Amino acid sequence: MKRIPTNEISRKAFHLFSSIVPLSYLYIIQEKDIMVIILAIASLFAFSIELFRNNNKKIDYLFNHWFGSMLRKKESKGALTGATWLLFGWTITTYCYEMNMAASALMFLAIGDSFAAIVGKLYPAGRIGDKTLSGSLAGFIVSFTIVILVINTLPPIVIFFGAFAAMFIELLPLKVDDNLTIPIFSGMTMVLVEKVI
């Protein structure tokens, strides 16, 4: 069993905690327009911080002081952080899909991607680039199970294919950040499956 770097543990803990967003959408802020506005404002704020830190040494110093332990090497050098991509993914997904599908897609991202990374690092098997089949399988099983328990207004087959699509796109060694691709692709898949059935 391999050791997980401390910064990755922090990132995945934050990722799991981010499931509060789709849960809030389901049970608290159930108005799509309001949720999209909140997420869009948060995305704009995060992107502004990214711009400021890349153009102001003092802001960059403060940013790295507070969040440096969670950053990957390319992020500490100025690339957009995973958190900003996460907000972009949330906003686009919430805007594009109806509530139950959007919430499911965001749960696949929060839970599935986290378990895929954790299991993939602890028990790597079937490596594809820096991802593993073992991790993706774990992400699929856990996210499918949790979403089917939390969201009972979608047919299980729709959730099944949504979870599968989320972990399939997570597994592919794409250059686009998976915080963006996972919820958008899984949401699109669920829409298509629901139309077919």
Side-chain angles (χ1 to χ4, degrees):
M1 186 172 72
K2 294 189 175 182
R3 183 183 177 88
I4 303 176
T6 304
N7 71 322
E8 286 300 319
I9 294 174
S10 300
R11 290 175 73 96
K12 295 313 167 187
F14 174 79
H15 225 53
L16 283 170
F17 181 74
S18 74
S19 60
I20 194 171
V21 171
L23 291 173
S24 296
Y25 188 25
L26 284 170
Y27 300 112
I28 302 172
I29 307 170
Q30 297 183 323
E31 291 292 330
K32 178 176 179 174
D33 292 345
I34 294 174
M35 196 65 177
V36 170
I37 290 170
I38 291 171
L39 293 175
I41 291 171
S43 296
L44 182 61
F45 177 76
F47 187 65
S48 298
I49 294 296
E50 298 271 15
L51 290 177
F52 288 139
R53 79 181 180 98
N54 282 314
N55 291 284
N56 187 297
K57 290 183 178 180
K58 288 183 179 179
I59 293 176
D60 185 52
Y61 173 80
L62 289 172
F63 187 89
N64 281 287
H65 176 74
W66 288 103
F67 304 108
S69 62
M70 294 178 65
L71 298 179
R72 289 176 178 157
K73 190 173 182 180
K74 64 178 182 178
E75 295 171 341
S76 63
K77 290 185 175 181
L80 288 181
T81 63
T84 300
W85 284 114
L86 190 73
L87 283 164
F88 288 162
W90 286 349
T91 305
I92 295 169
T93 303
T94 304
Y95 176 79
C96 289
Y97 309 117
E98 57 94 4
M99 183 177 68
N100 290 325
M101 286 189 182
S104 297
L106 298 186
M107 294 284 280
F108 297 146
L109 172 61
I111 298 167
D113 187 46
S114 299
F115 275 87
I118 293 168
V119 173
K121 283 180 170 56
L122 291 176
Y123 305 101
R127 188 170 292 280
I128 298 176
D130 62 349
K131 306 293 180 69
T132 63
L133 289 172
S134 57
S136 295
L137 179 61
F140 166 74
I141 292 171
V142 175
S143 63
F144 170 71
T145 302
I146 292 176
V147 171
I148 206 168
L149 291 173
V150 172
I151 302 175
N152 55 17
T153 53
L154 288 174
I157 190 68
V158 172
I159 296 173
F160 176 90
F161 276 102
F164 179 83
M167 292 302 97
F168 174 76
I169 203 74
E170 183 274 339
L171 180 62
L172 296 180
L174 302 176
K175 291 185 178 181
V176 182
D177 195 286
D178 61 12
N179 287 323
L180 192 66
T181 58
I182 288 175
I184 294 173
F185 185 68
S186 62
M188 186 186 307
T189 301
M190 287 186 286
V191 169
L192 294 174
V193 171
E194 189 176 54
K195 287 183 178 179
V196 170
I197 62 171

